[in-house]
Amino acid sequence: MAAHQMQLLNSQRLCSTSTRSIRPAVSNRPQVPRRPANVRRGRYQACRTMAIATADEAKQSTSSFDFQGYMMERAVMVNDALDKALPQRHPEVLLDAMRYSLLAGGKRVRPALTLAACELVGGDIACAMPTACAMEVVHTMSLIHDDLPSMDNDDFRRGRPTNHKVYGEDIAILAGDALLSFAFEHVARATTGTSPERVLRVILELGKAVGADGLTGGQVVDIKSENEEVGLEVLQYIHEHKTAALLEASVVCGALVGGADDVTVEKLRKYARNIGLAFQVVDDILDCTQTTEMLGKTAGKDIDVNKTTYPKLLGLEKSKQAAEDLIAEAIQQLDGFPPEKRTPLVALAKYIGYRQN
């Protein structure tokens, strides 16, 4: 057997090892009464059957959609907007560090979701572009800080050395801080064509997504859970906050800028929460099945630090099924929208569920 095949097999064995759930890393959480198991199973099976049927219909509607071309077009638009929004200026080293990570490429999934949600509800993407840029700016900040030695301690991101490897830890921290501040400034200053009330709601959604109730809170619980055997409830908390919160904000804010009513916003929030959780489930799977070259970042780090992941708790196959179910349920939330307008969001959901890096 080839060496790389043996390595992949060993990774899969490690990933499929189950572990028992012990005390949660988060205490004092409210206890929610649960329905009897047979009722939950019946309701789950009915919802899953309906969601899979919706996903099958979605596959037919996106069969002729050029997703790769769509994402390339959106990435060019977003990159151009980011470049113009953050020109080089004094102090040069700080702006160099900010632009180094921000303009390093990437799939631009979050801004694409923002623009697609805006179009879905009949909005103009020009109005949503500052918000779309802000989502990528916040995401980039999170990557810079995530890679620091005191956090995940990673040397590579998007196929090249991480920010602190190039500029040092001090400048990397400050570059992340400056990017976070800039995201809110850019939304407030550059958004046109929508009401101040909606701009304020966007700022509120983004603030929540990045704070203690979102990305930062999820990151803290993730750090405190390393080298501990935590259960599925805590793992889901981590992923819903660390990863899904910003994806949710991307979709919801795009809909807000596009003029969506509250009912539509909440429907799209459900879509986004499902794809957000699926995104991290897939990330866990890829960490133990792909190479560093394929991922553009160090592979196998979850195993190295004994981090609890979906493959570790559920096994590889059940993790893949969980991701498929989440994507199907997300697509179901797009029922009732015009097919030509929902197609990009359907395609983005499928991409998140079946991506390879």
Side-chain angles (χ1 to χ4, degrees):
M1 181 179 292
H4 73 279
Q5 291 176 317
M6 179 64 75
Q7 184 181 11
L8 177 59
L9 180 60
N10 289 337
S11 295
Q12 290 176 339
R13 284 172 177 165
L14 280 169
C15 288
S16 61
T17 303
S18 61
T19 181
R20 68 185 185 280
S21 171
I22 59 174
R23 62 176 180 83
V26 181
S27 61
N28 300 323
R29 298 187 64 191
Q31 297 297 314
V32 180
R34 305 186 71 190
R35 294 182 178 86
N38 60 335
V39 174
R40 295 199 305 270
R41 282 196 298 270
R43 184 174 179 271
Y44 168 76
Q45 291 297 341
C47 290
R48 184 180 173 197
T49 300
M50 186 184 302
I52 291 172
T54 305
D56 289 341
E57 292 172 5
K59 287 179 182 179
Q60 296 175 8
S61 68
T62 57
S63 58
S64 60
F65 180 65
D66 181 9
F67 178 69
Q68 184 175 3
Y70 174 87
M71 290 298 288
M72 287 181 64
E73 178 190 15
R74 293 301 161 102
V76 169
M77 293 170 60
V78 170
N79 289 340
D80 184 56
L82 288 169
D83 186 34
K84 291 176 180 176
L86 198 66
Q88 184 61 267
R89 59 185 186 272
H90 184 75
E92 287 82 3
V93 66
L94 176 62
L95 270 295
D96 276 344
M98 293 166 71
R99 288 171 60 86
Y100 174 81
S101 293
L102 185 61
L103 302 177
K107 297 174 280 291
R108 307 308 194 200
V109 170
R110 288 154 192 83
L113 285 166
T114 300
L115 300 178
C118 178
E119 286 188 309
L120 178 74
V121 300
D124 180 357
I125 61 171
C127 298
M129 186 58 76
T131 298
C133 288
M135 298 302 163
E136 190 64 29
V137 169
V138 169
H139 177 54
T140 301
M141 172 279 298
S142 74
L143 300 182
I144 293 174
H145 284 181
D146 226 18
D147 293 333
L148 289 168
S150 59
M151 303 280 274
D152 282 356
N153 192 24
D154 218 328
D155 295 339
F156 294 97
R157 175 68 67 175
R158 290 173 172 170
R160 61 180 186 168
T162 46
N163 197 289
H164 68 274
K165 285 294 180 180
V166 178
Y167 295 95
E169 290 180 50
D170 49 0
I171 299 300
I173 292 170
L174 293 170
D177 292 345
L179 284 169
L180 180 59
S181 300
F182 174 72
F184 293 95
E185 174 194 343
H186 190 56
V187 170
R189 177 171 42 81
T191 304
T192 59
T194 190
S195 69
E197 179 189 4
R198 286 185 177 271
V199 175
L200 185 60
R201 289 181 68 183
V202 167
I203 292 172
L204 176 63
E205 288 283 344
L206 184 54
K208 183 179 179 181
V210 77
D213 290 329
L215 189 157
T216 307
Q219 181 71 63
V220 167
V221 178
D222 189 25
I223 291 171
K224 294 301 183 182
S225 298
E226 285 185 7
N227 294 312
E228 289 194 22
E229 294 184 5
V230 301
L232 192 59
E233 182 184 7
V234 173
L235 183 61
Q236 186 167 331
Y237 177 93
I238 292 169
H239 290 342
E240 283 179 346
H241 291 74
K242 181 180 175 181
T243 302
L246 189 56
L247 286 163
E248 178 183 325
S250 300
V251 174
V252 168
C253 291
L256 285 171
V257 175
D261 60 35
D262 289 347
V263 173
T264 301
V265 166
E266 292 311 308
K267 193 171 185 182
L268 290 176
R269 191 186 297 279
K270 292 177 183 177
Y271 160 87
R273 282 178 179 170
N274 278 298
I275 65 168
L277 188 52
F279 189 99
Q280 189 59 55
V281 175
V282 173
D283 223 42
D284 286 355
I285 293 169
L286 294 177
D287 183 77
C288 63
T289 60
Q290 296 286 35
T291 63
T292 296
E293 292 72 24
M294 280 291 294
L295 294 179
K297 60 182 180 179
T298 307
K301 286 190 69 67
D302 291 345
I303 297 171
D304 291 342
V305 300
N306 194 28
K307 181 179 288 188
T308 301
T309 63
Y310 276 87
K312 184 176 180 180
L313 287 182
L314 301 179
L316 202 55
E317 292 308 313
K318 286 186 178 180
S319 297
K320 290 178 180 178
Q321 186 61 59
E324 289 182 10
D325 291 345
L326 286 164
I327 294 302
E329 290 168 20
I331 291 172
Q332 185 184 354
Q333 298 303 318
L334 301 175
D335 274 358
F337 292 103
E340 68 277 6
K341 289 190 174 182
R342 75 182 186 131
T343 294
L345 285 173
V346 171
L348 276 159
K350 289 163 58 180
Y351 162 75
I352 284 170
Y354 301 105
R355 64 195 172 94
Q356 295 301 307
N357 58 28

